[in-house]
Amino acid sequence: MITLSMPYPPSTNRLWRSARTNGKTKVLSSDEAKRFYSHAAVAIAEQGARGRKLAGPIEMTVTLYPRNRAKFDIDNRLKSLLDAFTKSAVWIDDSQVQRITVERAEEIVKEGRCIVTISTIGERS
């Protein structure tokens, strides 16, 4: 089991932007997404989870500590988080994730934060 303190993930709605070049539209990672992935990679490495390459089915619990009391959809915060773990090789691929429990904490954290616990299904705690 791995428990990680992570930066607050951006909404899925803010991960991409469109750019038009030579009459063609390209979809690119947004600056916000790039910043998140960079900060997430540092957090994962500092906590010793980079390159763990967990195998088998995975379950995770996510507690989101928002920056303020504004409404948000908790499911929109998951895509960037799962992608960050894949990019840092915490697991082999996010298709391994079979179960996710997500909760919004009552506590407000100035810059936002999330606590994630990852384990292989069947692993004893």
Side-chain angles (χ1 to χ4, degrees), residues 5-111:
S5 177
M6 298 292 294
Y8 194 68
S11 170
T12 301
N13 301 329
R14 301 183 57 88
L15 294 180
W16 299 281
R17 64 178 180 85
S18 296
R20 195 151 175 86
T21 307
N22 298 325
K24 295 184 179 184
T25 301
K26 293 182 179 182
V27 178
L28 307 169
S29 290
S30 69
D31 290 342
E32 184 176 356
K34 290 175 188 174
R35 273 191 306 279
F36 171 74
Y37 291 132
S38 175
H39 292 154
V42 169
I44 291 165
E46 287 178 347
Q47 295 172 80
R50 183 174 184 80
R52 292 283 299 267
K53 294 187 181 178
L54 296 173
I58 289 174
E59 62 183 330
M60 54 190 288
T61 59
V62 179
T63 304
L64 297 166
Y65 293 84
R67 297 176 200 137
N68 55 45
R69 300 228 181 261
K71 290 183 180 181
F72 67 93
D73 294 341
I74 60 175
D75 61 315
N76 278 347
R77 303 292 169 167
L78 295 175
K79 175 73 174 146
S80 56
L81 199 54
L82 272 67
D83 288 349
F85 294 135
T86 301
K87 290 173 187 281
S88 290
V90 173
W91 49 52
I92 298 164
D93 185 73
D94 59 7
S95 66
Q96 294 170 250
V97 178
Q98 303 297 306
R99 185 180 310 134
I100 304 174
T101 303
V102 186
E103 89 177 287
R104 178 190 336 233
E106 290 295 320
E107 182 182 347
I108 302 299
V109 175
K110 184 178 180 181
E111 294 183 22

Side-chain angles (χ1 to χ4, degrees), residues 1 122-125:
M1 181 174 9
E123 178 181 25
R124 302 242 181 234
S125 35

